[in-house]
């Protein structure tokens, strides 16, 4: 039953938007691990180098979750 729902065009769109949100969460995780490693080694990285990927990752999470929610609720 769940498989039949995923094989529809709407199901594929929900899956791809969820993957987009997951990619943003994965980027946030990797960046936070990098920051923690730099703090432990007392190497400070420039705020611009850290800030831009963080903003991009947060944008991916927000975009993916909003579009998936809109797709699930048939919002137009």
């Amino acid at each position: 039953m769940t498989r039949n729902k995923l094989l529809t065009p709407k199901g594929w769109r929900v899956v791809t938007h969820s993957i987009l949100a997951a990619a943003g969460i994965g980027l946030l995780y990797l960046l936070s691990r990098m920051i923690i490693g730099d703090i432990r080694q007392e190497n400070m990285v420039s705020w611009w180098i850290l800030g831009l990927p963080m903003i991009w990752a947060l944008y991916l999470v927000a975009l993916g979750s909003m579009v998936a929610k809109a797709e699930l609720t048939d919002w137009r």
Side-chain angles (χ1 to χ4, degrees), residues 21-35 53-59 61:
I25 292 170
L27 276 173
L28 281 175
Y29 174 76
L30 290 174
L31 288 170
S32 65
R33 297 290 291 173
M34 182 183 80
I35 292 168
M54 285 287 201
I55 291 170
W56 178 250
L58 288 172
Y59 171 74
V61 171

Side-chain angles (χ1 to χ4, degrees), residues 20 35 40 50-51 63 75:
L20 181 66
I35 292 168
R40 286 185 184 165
L50 293 176
L63 179 68
W75 178 76

Side-chain angles (χ1 to χ4, degrees), residues 8-72:
T8 64
K10 181 180 177 180
W12 281 114
R13 287 192 302 264
V14 171
V15 169
T16 55
H17 299 317
S18 300
I19 289 172
L20 181 66
I25 292 170
L27 276 173
L28 281 175
Y29 174 76
L30 290 174
L31 288 170
S32 65
R33 297 290 291 173
M34 182 183 80
I35 292 168
I36 291 170
D38 287 342
I39 290 172
R40 286 185 184 165
Q41 294 176 0
E42 297 180 4
N43 295 334
M44 290 307 295
V45 181
S46 172
W47 286 107
W48 286 105
I49 294 172
L50 293 176
L52 293 176
M54 285 287 201
I55 291 170
W56 178 250
L58 288 172
Y59 171 74
L60 287 177
V61 171
L63 179 68
S65 61
M66 285 188 301
V67 175
K69 182 179 178 184
E71 195 70 44
L72 288 171

